[in-house]
Amino acid sequence: MTGAGSAQVAYTVEDSYGAGPQAEPTWIQPGIDVTVGDLTVDQALERSRHPNDPTPAGSREGNWEGAQSLSWVLTDDQFHELVFADGGTALPSSAMEAPSATWYFAVDMPDGTTETRTPTGATVTDATVTYEQGSDVQVELTILYGFEPTDVTTPAEADIQQPTDDQAFTWHGATFTVDGTNQALMQSASLSLSGLARFRRGQSRHPYDAVTGAIEPSLSTDATFTERDQLALAVDDTAGDAPVGKVPATLSFENGQGDTIGYDLTDCQPTSCSWSDLVAADADLSEPIDYHVADVAVA
């Protein structure tokens, strides 16, 4: 069996889709408290049958596709180069190739051997940054990849850049504004970017490349209710059939070293607004809101 201290996780950015590590790659551990939720290859097999036999004659391979999901405590902004296709700072304003990476997963076995997997052509399809009062800021990525070669030159442990625990971004370094109003009693907030990339396929089982998809940014917040500012955006329908108001928002996180990571959100429109704990003896009235967002850029 394996456990704590027996695994390594790192990535390096590719020059082009599926090209594998650069000549002199920089291997990066994405954060601390890393968890891998999924690392799966799907061969999309289809059964073959003869009309005179109820059992299958075999199976034919379909499109090859790998999937992985990871989460970690936010320590730096290097993962932005995997998420923001426009130079690692902004979402794309036109179609372009999606950023891709080679990942390295290794596990030390009890017999002293090391098993490794090296997905290449790995592109982020969904990314989420989550704040929760009392907890460290979390990042979660959903990734699809097109290849898993066995001849990738893997890094030595000393070659992997590892963050330190004092780089962690915690809840008490977070600030939020919506339409210029500071949200001082934010209980939770989640910035999600979905549809970041999609595969293009041709006459191969493996993807030809990966390009930007139909991106859908969204923001979910849950703050203790203090004033009507956010509620008014969602429910004050004084103009009849007027469009739902569009407002800017910002999310900013600071760690104990004084480093900051922030996001500027454009045209946030509340798609749902709730009152929670309206009658609760030991809780404050809270206001969960889900927003559609038009654009997100690194602050």
Side-chain angles (χ1 to χ4, degrees):
M1 60 185 297
T2 59
S6 64
Q8 292 178 327
V9 178
Y11 72 89
T12 185
V13 176
E14 298 176 341
D15 283 333
S16 60
Y17 180 77
Q22 300 170 347
E24 297 183 4
T26 299
W27 291 95
I28 301 168
Q29 180 181 302
I32 60 173
D33 297 337
V34 180
T35 61
V36 179
D38 187 27
L39 186 56
T40 304
V41 171
D42 186 359
Q43 300 279 2
L45 297 181
E46 290 191 12
R47 295 186 185 275
S48 301
R49 295 183 180 276
H50 295 298
N52 64 341
D53 191 340
T55 61
S59 295
R60 307 182 307 280
E61 299 87 353
N63 283 333
W64 195 104
E65 182 172 294
Q68 61 189 69
S69 62
L70 304 96
S71 63
W72 64 84
V73 170
L74 178 66
T75 54
D76 55 68
D77 62 0
Q78 295 188 89
F79 76 97
H80 286 167
E81 60 188 347
L82 306 179
V83 174
F84 294 93
D86 192 355
T89 60
L91 296 177
S93 56
S94 61
M96 62 179 62
E97 187 173 282
S100 65
T102 295
W103 283 82
Y104 169 66
F105 300 96
V107 60
D108 297 329
M109 304 300 293
D111 63 1
T113 61
T114 300
E115 293 291 335
T116 64
R117 296 182 65 175
T118 52
T120 65
T123 58
V124 176
T125 60
D126 300 272
T128 304
V129 179
T130 302
Y131 155 91
E132 186 170 349
Q133 201 285 325
S135 300
D136 296 325
V137 179
Q138 294 278 332
V139 178
E140 183 175 0
L141 300 184
T142 299
I143 297 172
L144 296 180
Y145 63 93
F147 312 90
E148 194 170 323
T150 58
D151 59 351
V152 173
T153 301
T154 57
E157 184 172 350
D159 295 331
I160 299 175
Q161 294 182 3
Q162 285 188 318
T164 58
D165 61 344
D166 56 359
Q167 290 179 254
F169 287 79
T170 60
W171 81 98
H172 48 76
T175 58
F176 306 89
T177 64
V178 179
D179 197 20
T181 301
N182 181 45
Q183 305 295 306
L185 293 177
M186 188 71 73
Q187 302 305 297
S188 64
S190 180
L191 172 62
S192 298
L193 305 173
S194 62
L196 290 168
R198 61 181 177 86
F199 285 151
R200 294 197 300 175
R201 293 184 178 272
Q203 297 90 285
S204 171
R205 293 184 60 218
H206 295 269
Y208 177 79
D209 63 5
V211 296
T212 51
I215 302 172
E216 295 186 351
S218 61
L219 173 67
S220 297
T221 63
D222 188 357
T224 299
F225 185 86
T226 56
E227 52 190 305
R228 195 179 176 85
D229 55 343
Q230 304 310 304
L231 179 64
L233 287 173
V235 304
D236 286 0
D237 191 16
T238 57
D241 294 330
V244 177
K246 301 177 180 180
V247 298
T250 62
L251 285 66
S252 181
F253 308 105
E254 183 176 355
N255 66 7
Q257 295 186 336
D259 301 323
T260 60
I261 295 176
Y263 304 95
D264 292 330
L265 284 58
T266 303
D267 291 347
C268 301
Q269 294 176 278
T271 182
S272 67
C273 178
S274 306
W275 271 7
S276 180
D277 293 325
L278 178 59
V279 181
D282 58 350
D284 296 314
L285 172 63
S286 63
E287 186 180 38
I289 304 177
D290 294 324
Y291 298 87
H292 281 191
V293 181
D295 198 7
V296 178
V298 177

